[in-house]
Amino acid sequence: AQKVTQAQTEISVVEKEDVTLDCVYETRDTTYYLFWYKQPPSGELVFLIRRNSFDEQNEISGRYSWNFQKSTSSFNFTITASQVVDSAVYFCALSEASYNTDKLIFGTGTRLQVFP
Amino acid sequence: KAGVTQTPRYLIKTRGQQVTLSCSPISGHRSVSWYQQTPGQGLQFLFEYFSETQRNKGNFPGRFSGRQFSNSRSEMNVSTLELGDSALYLCASSLAGVAGNTGELFFGEGSRLTVL
């Protein structure tokens, strides 16, 4: 069965600190996709990144970076020099790639609070 | 470009009633999926529709149903409401219904249902 675990329920940091959000996944599929979404107080989920199972290259986008390691089934997300606007709930998600589907399996989310 | 629009944004119902939620996907998107978000269960997949056909269904009772119209707009219905149905219901759309290929599932801001 597929499962996504985000062990950190809530993280609080002070502005300009770096913070890493952990994500561990389980799947028997050999081909799959991993995602990170941000949910601000308004409610909608905002797409941050997708990574497929064959691409283990780390990715950096501005202050955001992602570390994908198949050996440990982890897909961690780091925010460098955090800002108050980064405060939100962050979700890691997994989808099957074998079928045409938009079904995502979400982790329980990590609430990040960045204080000024 | 308009995003995913969900109506109503907030509603209050009493146990035993039924509710219908509406979702208008981004223009050109043919796939619509629905998710339920609660504090206890997190984000859970309800069902998805592609070209008016239900393509996948989550593990929810038959009280939860949906449909998609020829213009890709979708509705979901919950009959005989229970207290536990109180949740944020999120709708998402994608271009081709394969989240992995499109790289992004666009979410609406959700409909917050309170059952009293």
Side-chain angles (χ1 to χ4, degrees):
Chain A
Q2 297 184 318
K3 184 179 179 182
V4 176
T5 300
Q6 295 179 257
Q8 304 151 309
T9 305
E10 187 164 339
I11 300 176
S12 295
V13 298
V14 176
E15 213 170 15
K16 298 184 183 178
E17 282 187 38
D18 297 347
V19 58
T20 295
L21 309 181
D22 297 332
C23 173
V24 174
Y25 63 92
E26 296 174 30
T27 181
R28 287 179 290 188
D29 294 336
T30 56
T31 305
Y32 51 89
Y33 295 93
L34 295 165
F35 300 80
W36 275 95
Y37 280 87
K38 173 182 180 180
Q39 186 175 42
S42 56
E44 84 275 25
L45 291 167
V46 178
F47 169 84
L48 295 177
I49 191 173
R50 177 208 67 173
R51 173 68 72 227
N52 73 54
S53 53
F54 295 109
D55 184 1
E56 286 194 71
Q57 281 190 340
N58 292 333
E59 180 155 339
I60 298 175
S61 177
R63 296 183 298 107
Y64 295 169
S65 63
W66 291 269
N67 181 271
F68 175 32
Q69 291 192 333
K70 286 182 73 173
S71 61
T72 57
S73 297
S74 65
F75 186 43
N76 296 337
F77 171 34
T78 297
I79 302 175
T80 302
S82 60
Q83 300 176 0
V84 172
V85 293
D86 295 327
S87 298
V89 181
Y90 291 86
F91 291 93
C92 180
L94 169 71
S95 82
E96 301 171 344
S98 304
Y99 309 100
N100 291 338
T101 179
D102 281 338
K103 177 182 178 181
L104 297 180
I105 306 299
F106 284 92
T108 50
T110 297
R111 180 178 299 278
L112 174 63
Q113 292 191 317
V114 182
F115 294 99
Chain B
K1 183 175 181 181
V4 177
T5 304
Q6 292 188 244
T7 57
R9 290 291 313 281
Y10 303 92
L11 65 166
I12 300 174
K13 294 285 187 178
T14 57
R15 279 181 300 175
Q17 288 187 309
Q18 73 163 5
V19 66
T20 298
L21 308 178
S22 179
C23 172
S24 293
I26 291 173
S27 178
H29 284 194
R30 298 169 61 191
S31 174
V32 173
S33 51
W34 290 87
Y35 291 81
Q36 181 197 63
Q37 185 176 21
T38 60
Q41 299 299 318
L43 277 157
Q44 292 186 293
F45 172 80
L46 278 158
F47 30 62
E48 70 173 309
Y49 290 87
F50 182 75
S51 294
E52 302 179 65
T53 301
Q54 186 180 88
R55 188 164 61 176
N56 208 345
K57 190 177 191 307
N59 189 26
F60 279 82
R63 299 185 298 107
F64 292 81
S65 63
R67 59 177 175 171
Q68 186 180 33
F69 302 96
S70 59
N71 62 358
S72 294
R73 190 177 70 84
S74 177
E75 290 181 346
M76 68 163 283
N77 183 276
V78 188
S79 62
T80 319
L81 284 166
E82 301 177 358
L83 296 179
D85 297 333
S86 294
L88 178 67
Y89 290 88
L90 290 163
C91 169
S93 75
S94 74
L95 188 61
V98 183
N101 286 344
T102 64
E104 187 168 357
L105 201 58
F106 294 83
F107 282 83
E109 291 184 314
S111 293
R112 187 168 293 281
L113 170 66
T114 301
V115 182
L116 302 176

